[in-house]
Each structure stands twice: as structure tokens, then as C-alpha cells.
Amino acid sequence: CTDSIQFEKQISKLRFNLAKRALLFSENAAVSLYSAIYIFEVEVDNITRIVEGIRYGKDSSYMESLIIT
């Protein structure tokens, strides 16, 4: 179970990094728009994880492990 969670997190990191790269280097407006929207969604999810971690009194290292960068 833990392996599948780690795998999903690595895939999410990969998609996030690819979206950042596409936003920087793409000349196609649709690709840039999709990349920006995906990055914004990830950032909102990260903020939600932080807020919920604080709400439930989780350790900062645990919250940091949940954030996609």
C-alpha cells in the first residue's frame, strides 16, 4: 500500500515538473494555459494539505512530506 502511495506521489511530482517546463518553453497557448491551470491546482491542493495539517495538529515534517514541489 505504501509503495503505491509513493508511486502516485512521484508521478504527481513528475507531472508538476513537466507542467512547469511546458509553461516556460511552450509556444503553444493551449499548452501554456493547461500547464498554468495544472500548476494552480497543485498549489491549491498544497495549501489545503497545510491548512488541514494545522487543523488536525500534524507534525510539520509530515505535512512537508505531503506537499508536491
Side-chain angles (χ1 to χ4, degrees):
C1 183
T2 306
D3 292 335
S4 64
I5 293 172
Q6 286 295 94
F7 179 73
E8 288 181 25
K9 183 167 180 168
Q10 291 300 322
I11 294 295
S12 295
K13 282 185 175 186
L14 178 64
R15 286 186 67 197
F16 183 72
N17 288 330
L18 288 173
K20 288 194 304 186
R21 185 178 304 152
L23 187 61
L24 288 174
F25 297 114
S26 178
E27 295 179 7
N28 186 338
V31 172
S32 296
L33 180 61
Y34 173 77
S35 298
I37 290 171
Y38 182 76
I39 291 168
F40 294 147
E41 287 176 353
V42 169
E43 293 298 334
V44 168
D45 288 342
N46 284 341
I47 292 170
T48 302
R49 287 182 183 108
I50 292 170
V51 169
E52 287 181 354
I54 293 170
R55 177 181 177 191
Y56 294 112
K58 296 294 182 181
D59 188 31
S60 62
S61 62
Y62 173 75
M63 289 187 291
E64 187 176 342
S65 72
L66 298 176
I67 294 174
I68 297 173
T69 56

